[in-house]
Amino acid sequence: MQSHPTAAYAAELDRRDPLATFRSRFTFTDPDLIYMDGNSLGRLPKGTSERLSQVIEQEWGRQLIRSWGAGWIDAPLRVGEKIGRLIGAAPGQVVVSDSTTVNLYKLAMAALMLRPGRTKIVTDQPNFPTDLYVLQGCNHLLGGGYRIELLPAAPDAITVELQTVLDAIDQETALVSLSHVHFKSGYLYDAAAITERCHAHGALVLWDLSHAAGAAPVELDAWDADFAAGCSYKYLNGGPGAPAFLYVNCRLHQTALSPIWGWFGDRAPFAFDLEYHPAEGIKRFIAGTPPVLSTLAIEPGVDLLLEAGLDRLRAKSIALTSYMIELYDAILAPLGFALGSPRDPAHRGSHISIRHADGYRINRALIEEMNVIPDFREPDNIRLGLAPIYTSFLDVWEAVERIRRVVVEEQYLGYSSQRLAVT
Ligand SMILES: *Cc1c(COP(=O)(O)O)cnc(C)c1O
């Protein structure tokens, strides 16, 4: 492959980028800052600042409780439906509620209740720990009779062989719960093949889309997935702690039940009936009063992604990550880094992990001295998140150049390996 280690080439890629103008729709307060953490906390859309001050001053401040009937009560479904368009879900199957962790719990319990008698749950070692804890907690609550099969990563520590997953799914399997994109390596599963295998054996599947939604090709309806959940503060740019989304395939709307029977999931919350009757459709997966401010804060960011279009976002994501790998090969590999992400773009999400024995200290030096913000994931991964809607090719070039300087000039030697509370 031809290598292009010049800033001029990055600038040329930016000039050719059809999504380049979307950058100006986000808040940039420090032009020198290279932000590589949009996969953990997306940037602030300018429209969100405007929308939130309107919601606070007009809708809350002036209209008070009347606003419930003027857009608040429908927000979880309305915003859910928009997110649905980013993840291949027809209307009526996605709702915004709670956190990803809580949604995973609600959906895993719903799935296990639908498959009584089966005793196996399949997941994988590279999964995000909260996803594993939720499964362990469900098993604990249900008497401990499940076996949770934790599939290992391949020897490259980056991927999990598709065949390993397919072979693990059998007639005993109640639930397969996986992240579509792995949080450390960015490895992207063939979700269609895995979903198909689940159904061939009567198992249900739950996809965690936290690192996929808004940046990778998700087609829940086309895959015929059963359940999905994910974060809206990552590539969806919904803001810190924004409520998550969940998806239940309409096939299951008559039978799947949330384990949390709350009044907002009742068919008539304001009848104040003494007995619970689950609402028709996806609404039954709402528990209580929705967090209105943070739900409405998600909407402008999702609107921007819809305007940009998923095909263009995916194409740019692949271009950005491919360019990062090209620069890695030319500049960082000779400095002792190893690539921690797949080279095949068909199996890669929108971040690149680079591994180094001194990764933690290099990451500290980047943040403290170089005005670059990646993040660090144990034991040695520096994660570089490339959000296609606002990350530029010059950002990628500049990030690699500053990483090179930190290593060549040994700036990281001044930092301790002692971990801070948030990495
Ligand atoms: C970010 C992330 C989470 C976080 O869950 P919260 O409930 O929002 O803390 C869960 N799962 C995956 C795969 C993630 O990437």
Side-chain angles (χ1 to χ4, degrees):
M1 191 196 304
Q2 196 192 348
S3 163
H4 299 286
T6 68
Y9 179 70
E12 177 56 30
L13 292 176
D14 282 331
R15 268 192 295 279
R16 283 193 245 139
D17 171 16
L19 299 183
T21 57
F22 280 92
R23 190 171 166 99
S24 68
R25 316 267 295 267
F26 289 81
T27 305
F28 281 72
T29 57
D30 175 359
D32 180 64
L33 172 67
I34 303 300
Y35 191 63
M36 295 275 120
D37 219 358
N39 57 330
S40 208
L41 176 64
R43 277 189 178 273
L44 169 64
K46 289 177 180 167
T48 306
S49 309
E50 289 159 27
R51 178 74 181 112
L52 268 190
S53 54
Q54 178 195 29
V55 172
I56 289 170
E57 283 157 30
Q58 302 299 322
E59 299 182 14
W60 179 14
R62 195 181 297 256
Q63 290 301 110
L64 286 161
I65 204 159
R66 289 170 287 193
S67 292
W68 276 109
W72 287 3
I73 198 86
D74 308 320
L77 279 167
R78 183 182 69 248
V79 181
E81 208 150 295
K82 288 183 178 183
I83 294 173
R85 287 162 58 195
L86 294 171
I87 55 177
Q93 301 176 105
V94 180
V95 74
V96 170
S97 73
D98 305 308
S99 64
T100 297
T101 302
V102 172
N103 286 338
L104 290 170
Y105 168 73
K106 292 189 293 191
L107 298 177
M109 286 296 281
L112 295 175
M113 293 295 102
L114 288 173
R115 289 294 179 272
R118 292 185 175 226
T119 55
K120 189 160 120 182
I121 299 171
V122 174
T123 185
D124 65 18
Q125 253 165 14
N127 209 347
F128 195 86
T130 209
D131 299 52
L132 303 179
Y133 303 162
V134 161
L135 298 174
Q136 292 160 17
C138 291
N139 183 31
H140 176 72
L141 198 64
L142 295 172
Y146 289 92
R147 185 163 66 82
I148 300 175
E149 191 166 338
L150 205 56
L151 305 175
D156 65 8
I158 294 172
T159 60
V160 176
E161 293 291 346
L162 179 61
Q163 201 57 45
T164 303
V165 183
L166 299 182
D167 289 348
I169 303 167
D170 57 21
Q171 301 295 123
E172 286 305 305
T173 309
L175 174 64
V176 175
S177 175
L178 296 168
S179 290
H180 185 212
V181 173
H182 281 157
F183 80 107
K184 270 190 207 174
S185 70
Y187 174 63
L188 184 152
Y189 267 127
D190 182 345
I194 292 170
T195 301
E196 189 183 335
R197 176 74 171 200
C198 287
H199 293 167
H201 288 275
L204 292 163
V205 69
L206 166 54
W207 288 106
D208 187 327
L209 304 177
S210 294
H211 279 276
V218 179
E219 292 290 344
L220 290 172
D221 287 346
W223 305 340
D224 198 27
D226 300 299
F227 301 99
C231 297
S232 36
Y233 51 80
K234 295 175 177 168
Y235 294 110
L236 300 189
N237 308 308
F245 61 87
L246 68 83
Y247 162 94
V248 180
N249 189 307
C250 58
R251 274 190 287 107
L252 301 170
H253 284 189
Q254 300 303 316
T255 50
L257 277 178
S258 170
I260 303 172
W261 293 9
W263 71 308
F264 263 71
D266 187 81
R267 68 184 178 199
F270 290 89
F272 297 104
D273 203 338
L274 298 189
E275 275 190 48
Y276 176 72
H277 301 282
E280 292 290 315
I282 192 72
K283 250 181 163 165
R284 63 175 62 179
F285 280 88
I286 304 177
T289 307
V292 172
L293 299 182
S294 47
T295 301
L296 294 176
I298 298 170
E299 203 165 7
V302 171
D303 284 339
L304 283 177
L305 294 169
L306 289 170
E307 191 184 326
L310 255 194
D311 289 348
R312 292 198 299 178
L313 289 165
R314 174 63 174 161
K316 181 165 171 202
S317 163
I318 289 176
L320 286 167
T321 52
S322 300
Y323 181 52
M324 172 83 65
I325 290 176
E326 202 178 312
L327 293 178
Y328 158 85
D329 283 333
I331 297 168
L332 299 180
L335 297 179
F337 285 93
L339 187 63
S341 294
R343 285 185 179 271
D344 175 3
H347 286 285
R348 190 167 72 219
S350 207
H351 69 270
I352 296 293
S353 281
I354 55 172
R355 312 184 66 179
H356 191 285
D358 279 312
Y360 183 77
R361 300 159 86 194
I362 295 169
N363 187 60
R364 292 290 321 140
L366 286 168
I367 295 170
E368 299 296 333
E369 291 183 36
M370 301 305 286
N371 212 15
V372 179
I373 304 185
D375 62 20
F376 176 81
R377 290 294 176 264
E378 296 288 356
D380 58 2
N381 293 278
I382 298 174
R383 270 194 330 182
L384 302 151
L386 308 173
I389 195 153
Y390 56 72
T391 302
S392 69
F393 291 89
L394 261 176
D395 285 342
V396 174
W397 159 261
E398 193 59 34
V400 171
E401 170 57 18
R402 293 188 201 183
I403 294 168
R404 185 192 67 80
R405 280 188 1 234
V406 160
V407 175
V408 169
E409 296 167 16
E410 300 188 331
Q411 290 171 22
Y412 66 97
L413 294 179
Y415 292 84
S416 159
S417 299
Q418 198 69 40
R419 307 309 198 229
L420 298 175
V422 177
T423 60

